[in-house]
Amino acid sequence: MIVKFVNTSHHPLPKYETPQSAGMDLRAFLPEGPVTLKPLERGLVKTGLFMELPEGYEAQVRPRSGLALKKGITVLNSPGTIDADYRGEICVILINLSNEEFVINDGERIAQMVIARHEQAEIVQVEELTDTERGAGGFGHTGAS
């Protein structure tokens, strides 16, 4: 599969860091300088990347585990979805869930992106659904452990 990118930043294109990586890191493109996220503040961070996905694929923008664990920084709408027909700039909605300010520098790896195949469902309205053993049970219905 080929994914086309236009890169208006001065950073390298996303790439898989290991042969079995599922995600590629996205870097902040901040030509005006660093951005600070205060505790509980969210912000839209540009990447300078524009992408063309093949039909039937999406890109999922996910948090980087190290930033989440060490700094409390995560992707607010995780996973963010980039549709195959979107041609705008890839941006990442970050939120600071820590008690300390977090400075985002130009070129910093801020999120990861996973390309995934998807299906579009045929939507059919019916009067009732088939019964299952689980039924409507959810939100912990199988117990705490």
Side-chain angles (χ1 to χ4, degrees), residues 37-53:
L37 286 180
K38 294 182 170 116
L40 299 179
E41 186 176 31
R42 64 186 176 269
L44 187 68
V45 182
K46 295 182 176 188
T47 66
L49 298 172
F50 300 76
M51 175 176 56
E52 182 178 328
L53 288 167

Side-chain angles (χ1 to χ4, degrees), residues 43-84:
L44 187 68
V45 182
K46 295 182 176 188
T47 66
L49 298 172
F50 300 76
M51 175 176 56
E52 182 178 328
L53 288 167
E55 186 176 335
Y57 287 84
E58 66 161 329
Q60 300 171 1
V61 179
R62 302 176 181 186
R64 294 191 66 234
S65 58
L67 277 181
L69 177 63
K70 296 173 186 170
K71 301 293 184 176
I73 304 300
T74 191
V75 175
L76 186 58
N77 62 326
S78 183
T81 297
I82 302 170
D83 296 308

Side-chain angles (χ1 to χ4, degrees), residues 112-124:
Q112 61 180 321
M113 181 173 65
V114 173
I115 310 266
R117 180 181 289 279
H118 71 83
E119 301 272 337
Q120 281 194 334
E122 179 182 348
I123 307 301
V124 177

